[in-house]
Amino acid sequence: MADAFSETDPQTNTGLLTDRNVRLAGQVVAVVFAAAVLYLLYRIASLVDLGLLETIFPRFVDAYLLVLFIFVVGGVLSVILGVFVGLGRISRSTLTRGVTVGYVEFFRGTPLLFQLIVIYYGIPTLFGGPDFPIQNWEIPAAILGLTLNHGAYIGEAIRGGINSVPDGQMEAARSLGMSYIGAMREVVLPQAWRNALPAMGNDQVILIKDTSLLTVIAVPELLSQFRDVYSTTFDPWTPILLVAVAYLCLTLPLSYVVTYFERRASPGGDNE
Amino acid sequence: MSDPQLVFDGVNKYFGENHVLKDIDLDVEDGEVVVVVGPSGSGKSTLLRCTNRLEEIQSGEIRLEGVSLTDPETDINLLRQRIGMVFQSFNLFPHKTALQNVTLAPRKVKGIAADDAEQTARDLLQRVGLEQKADSYPHQLSGGQQQRVAIARALAMRPHVMLFDEVTSALDPELVGEVLSVMRDLADEGMTMLVVTHEMGFAREVGDRIVLMADGEKVEEAQPEEFFENPETDRAKQFLSKFLEV
Amino acid sequence: MDGTSRRTYLKGTAAGAATLGLAGCLGFGGSGEDTIQIGSDIPYPPFEYREADGTLVGFDVDIAAAVFGEQLEMTPEFNQTAFDGIISALNNGNFRVIMSAMTINDTRAEKVDFSDPYFTAYQTIVVPQNSDVTTKEDLRGATIGVQKGTTGSTAAAELKEEFGGDLDIKQYDLIADAFNAILNNQVDAIINDNTVNAQYISQNEDQLRFVEGDGAAVEQGKNAPPYLTLTVEEYGIAFRQDDDDLREQVNEALATIRENGTYDEIYNEYFEG
């Protein structure tokens, strides 16, 4: 019988893509990428105007706080709305389910930018035009648009979360005499929540970045500040740096918060 | 003479085209332990699930203590409080401790105060031999322990009837005994039980009546002695012969 | 094609003078197939905007047709660009020149070179018909709508400084958005070029009006419209700073069309007197 384990046999089934080579290739790419980034940062650093940085810093802080405010309010509202949307999606009533599906399809199927423009420019025209009662409509419009849009995505995430809870959980709860809503609230939703957290966390990070679209409805957020500074000074990198740092100061803490919630909601963790 | 506690009257059920329960008539008296056996697909689990309306029947009636389960006027949540069910896959709530699993329904459905519910729960956990595990989460318990907690959870609502749906089928053999032991104690205390199982030893020793189901029909019904020693129908003989082959 | 119908019309009336001009400033091999990309923020009526059927029209469009089309025998093509990034886009090579009702000023002159001025404009203030605002001072504490990156935006910023910060400014991507906003009670006033303001006001005479009064134009002795003017400005065509040859040719072409009456014709078509 032929010796099948000779060490001198070439690896015929992987060719060049041996484990070792693949790992090496990954490392090479990583080094090249890191080097490129470092080089860019070095070039950028020499272009940054510290004097300008100091002057424009306060307005970027204001913009950051505004985005934070819109994000917190819009985020909370979209999650609350999402719970109702998720429940509506699985309702046994065809009417409820149909309406919910229609809502989700519209807000996921049209661009957020379009929705924001419709709300900001369209709604006042419907309700009085020059007599429209809300003078600073851009912030409520922003929150409304973001909430409606992300409510649809969160709704789908929660629906997925609910569907991944075993049927037996609802059956057991109802067998004990709990109502549908009671069973949902005490047994299914807490588990669905845990399942849906990664998708929800993802969506909220996207919400933060979506605030950049608010520039077209005259909200003085981060991107608007950048455009204003750039169009008057023609210095891109100084404000770019501030914008990048500001967004990271929003998305990174959010990631930590989501991880914290995920850990808390995992089985064995204290959930009440 | 009053109605038996649990009555199945001409019950028919279809899954689509499939006729899974064919004209089932069955009475369960107060305090009786009725064991339902039969091959897979015979409809025995379905019968159980129709008893607390986890499944709907198409014709016939199921009555608990004279109240029709299928009447639209009936408050099914109220009725379900009187029927306890234990599942093959335990279905404990994973995000709650054993104690919390047992106290949840009494507190949220019956509005019982937290302290009282906890006291009752601890008593029940002790009764099933798990008072030490009150603060453990389901994933920290063995299968047999989880199933015993499930029994305690069902008992916490003080049901009049207990339904057991192949509750030991998913357990390792060594863990089956502890669960059956709890069920026997329950029977001795006079609980009305409708038990679907493959455990013939239990059926023989604890059952007051054995019901054999096959292909959606009730094939034979007899006291354990008669059923195991002197089966009447061929179907019953065929079924029992499989068990003796081991 | 954009501007083709106008080209034909103008050619018919200015044929004679155009031939003379051509002889002088032709430097491109004269095939007439050279396309020149022009960056512009559309819509900005009456300088560049689209009619309902999509045809591009406007003062800048016609001037471009006369200068680049007829005089320099190129085919002008307008590229839609957001105004607040238009200079960077020019310097990045996205197009050859900017014709977008662009005011000549020192800050911009650091980044681009301008042609000779081809239009004079004034920053004016638009308010709703029933507004209480009749002077500049009345704007204290009000909300102003402007377009991002424009000299109107700068004028509003200066006004805010004058008021010690007592002014709220909302910046819009398009000037049309700002007018939408004033019609939706989102801003109390708009600061923008007078001719563009006049265009929107004429379409909304019941709702909007100018703030009247004397201002910068009168101070500088210019032939101003009867509205309050905050600044006096001149439009120029913007070139990259290394594009001197083309710029000189364009200056010559501008001079030519002023002399031969083409400019006046185009002017009178869009602006009365």
Side-chain angles (χ1 to χ4, degrees), chain B residues 4 25 28 31 56 72-73 79 81 96 114 134 151 176 193:
Chain B
D25 291 318
V28 182
E56 302 280 348
E73 305 276 309
L79 216 53
Q81 291 179 37
K96 297 193 176 294
I151 295 175
V176 167
M193 293 161 61

Side-chain angles (χ1 to χ4, degrees), chain B residues 199-214:
Chain B
E199 296 290 329
M200 292 303 146
F202 174 85
R204 189 162 190 159
E205 288 167 31
V206 184
D208 293 319
R209 216 179 345 138
I210 315 289
V211 170
L212 172 65
M213 283 188 68

Side-chain angles (χ1 to χ4, degrees), chain C residues 125-179:
Chain C
I125 309 173
V126 179
V127 291
Q129 270 291 356
N130 56 9
S131 163
D132 294 330
V133 174
T134 51
T135 67
K136 196 172 71 170
E137 266 304 305
D138 291 340
L139 286 177
R140 245 178 220 277
T143 307
I144 311 272
V146 297
Q147 184 183 10
K148 290 175 183 167
T150 60
T151 47
S153 169
T154 315
E158 283 167 7
L159 198 62
K160 182 168 179 167
E161 251 188 74
E162 210 184 293
F163 290 163
D166 195 8
L167 192 71
D168 197 21
I169 302 176
K170 288 189 188 170
Q171 306 223 10
Y172 292 90
D173 279 22
L174 303 172
I175 194 58
D177 296 340
F179 276 95

